[in-house]
Amino acid sequence: MNFRRVKAVARKELTHVLRDPRSLATGIAIPMVLIILFGYALTLDVDDVPFAVWDRSGTPRSRELVAAMDASQYLRLERTAHSYRELELAIERGDVLAAIVIPHDVNRGAALQLILDGSDANTASIAAGYIENVVQRFGCPQCQPNVDLRPRVWFNPDMVSRNYIVPGLLAVIMNVIAALLTSLTVAREWETGTMEQLISTPLRVPELIVGKLVPYWLIGMVDVVLAFLVGRLLFDVPFRGNLWLLFGTTAVFLIGVLTFGVLISVVTKSQLLANQLAVLGTYLPAFLLSGFMYSIENMPRPLQLITYILPARYYVTLLKGLFLKGTGLEVLWIEIVFLVAYTALVMLVANVKLKKKLEA
């Protein structure tokens, strides 16, 4: 490989990027906007559950129980009802997420009735846990546990969802943006007619691919640095791992997804089609099948097998391990090996496919 020719191609591609404000916006501004937007908007925390109460007891103890629930940072008394119908209407209209019926004989340890809006099962189960916790701490006799459970949360002791959402967002957004940036490179050469000029030069296929990757790889690394700073300074996401390991694995991940974008560009020869395929082939798989939002272990077996070919799966695991757990190579080496293997495979296929196009 002639590095002078690689440098020439890289300089040509970098000049194009710098002269095209849209490319710079796509490469730098959009990732930052998406991370900030999703970081604030995408949350799994449930910290303001509106509830209604039908207090059929009307005793000081029942009022103390309602006050204890309302005093919780996670619960908010929205209304007081006087019949089941009022509770049903409040839930149907979406005014409250939960309804509690306190019986007449609450002082003698009668069970409370909890009615939940199950249209959002995850939120409903979390709300039920909040209410049960308040009732237990209040000292309801029939709710006293038989075992003294004292949980200890590792890695994310505050149970804040953004601590694992923001690192996962980094993987999803960089996966999409990187593929989008390079999905137009070779297709643009074909559409503008400059590919024939490149074919006539001594430039080799690996040199062309590497030269086109270098500018976008640099942009991607800048994005990662900025995203890291946003996560630490703006969202206060902890980082307990090794910075060199973070940026080293990120460099490998970026090479893989950038090369995937080049491969799409080589196969399609159309900027519009390449752009559409890049979004379809990166965003949905990275968002749904990487383990970022949904646990891979809970997916059907066929989908679990598909996740093994997605680089975002391994990168998400690396990011969560480095940010939250502080794990190192002794734990994450398997993910790194798969990431390197994916990058090498995509690079090989891109070289083969582009060689065929050049020889045609």
Side-chain angles (χ1 to χ4, degrees):
M1 181 178 292
N2 189 311
F3 290 98
R4 291 183 59 187
R5 291 197 287 263
V6 171
K7 181 180 177 181
V9 176
R11 185 170 60 247
K12 167 187 173 298
E13 200 67 31
L14 182 60
T15 301
H16 172 79
V17 172
L18 294 177
R19 289 179 178 178
D20 184 4
R22 293 174 300 179
S23 297
L24 282 177
T26 302
I28 296 179
I30 291 181
M32 295 303 100
V33 171
L34 290 177
I35 288 178
I36 294 174
L37 179 62
F38 279 108
Y40 281 114
L42 186 60
T43 177
L44 301 179
D45 296 333
V46 182
D47 53 8
D48 187 24
V49 177
F51 70 97
V53 171
W54 181 17
D55 185 2
R56 304 182 66 184
S57 175
T59 60
R61 183 169 180 78
S62 66
R63 289 192 290 269
E64 290 175 5
L65 175 59
V66 175
M69 293 181 184
D70 191 30
S72 170
Q73 60 177 321
Y74 304 109
L75 303 172
R76 171 171 51 85
L77 178 61
E78 182 66 25
R79 66 176 56 188
T80 300
H82 299 88
S83 66
Y84 272 110
R85 184 55 185 163
E86 290 185 36
L87 296 179
E88 292 174 0
L89 288 175
I91 293 179
E92 289 174 359
R93 293 170 180 167
D95 297 334
V96 299
L97 182 64
I100 302 166
V101 180
I102 303 177
H104 292 291
D105 50 355
V106 66
N107 289 328
R108 294 197 297 270
L112 308 180
Q113 182 180 8
L114 173 61
I115 306 171
L116 293 167
D117 181 358
S119 55
D120 186 341
N122 182 65
T123 302
S125 62
I126 295 175
Y130 290 157
I131 294 173
E132 290 174 4
N133 184 52
V134 172
V135 172
Q136 289 179 3
R137 286 190 290 120
F138 183 73
C140 188
Q142 76 280 7
C143 298
Q144 289 296 328
N146 295 323
V147 178
D148 184 14
L149 178 64
R150 301 184 182 183
R152 180 181 178 185
V153 180
W154 287 8
F155 311 133
N156 187 11
D158 296 329
M159 299 291 286
V160 179
S161 63
R162 68 169 177 269
N163 285 350
Y164 63 88
I165 285 180
V166 171
L169 278 174
L170 177 60
V172 174
I173 293 173
M174 292 311 304
N175 193 43
V176 178
I177 296 299
L180 280 176
L181 286 174
T182 54
S183 65
L184 308 179
T185 54
V186 178
R188 183 175 59 243
E189 302 287 0
W190 285 108
E191 290 186 354
T192 57
T194 55
M195 181 59 78
E196 288 78 5
Q197 300 176 12
L198 292 175
I199 294 174
S200 64
T201 65
L203 191 65
R204 297 179 179 178
V205 172
E207 296 167 351
L208 175 61
I209 292 178
V210 173
K212 286 187 171 295
L213 290 181
V214 169
Y216 300 107
W217 182 84
L218 293 174
I219 292 175
M221 293 302 293
V222 171
D223 284 336
V224 172
V225 172
L226 294 177
F228 176 82
L229 294 176
V230 168
R232 290 289 294 117
L233 302 179
L234 186 60
F235 295 109
D236 197 26
V237 177
F239 182 79
R240 301 186 174 95
N242 186 291
L243 273 176
W244 290 108
L245 184 58
L246 170 65
F247 290 111
T249 53
T250 298
V252 177
F253 172 75
L254 283 177
I255 294 173
V257 293
L258 287 170
T259 308
F260 179 73
V262 171
L263 177 59
I264 293 176
S265 187
V266 168
V267 173
T268 59
K269 286 188 178 182
S270 166
Q271 294 189 70
L272 177 60
L273 182 57
N275 188 281
Q276 294 173 341
L277 287 179
V279 174
L280 183 63
T282 56
Y283 177 70
L284 291 178
F287 193 87
L288 298 176
L289 302 178
S290 66
F292 158 58
M293 285 295 296
Y294 310 104
S295 174
I296 295 176
E297 291 74 16
N298 295 332
M299 297 178 185
R301 185 60 180 172
L303 289 182
Q304 291 186 34
L305 296 176
I306 293 175
T307 63
Y308 285 104
I309 64 175
L310 301 178
R313 169 191 172 128
Y314 308 109
Y315 191 50
V316 166
T317 303
L318 286 165
L319 289 176
K320 289 184 178 181
L322 289 170
F323 271 88
L324 299 179
K325 300 180 181 180
T327 49
L329 282 172
E330 68 281 359
V331 175
L332 301 174
W333 68 269
I334 297 179
E335 282 73 21
I336 296 174
V337 168
F338 275 102
L339 208 55
V340 172
Y342 170 85
T343 301
L345 179 61
V346 175
M347 183 72 74
L348 177 62
V349 174
N351 276 274
V352 172
K353 297 298 293 185
L354 184 55
K355 184 181 297 184
K356 290 180 180 179
K357 297 298 181 182
L358 288 171
E359 292 173 351

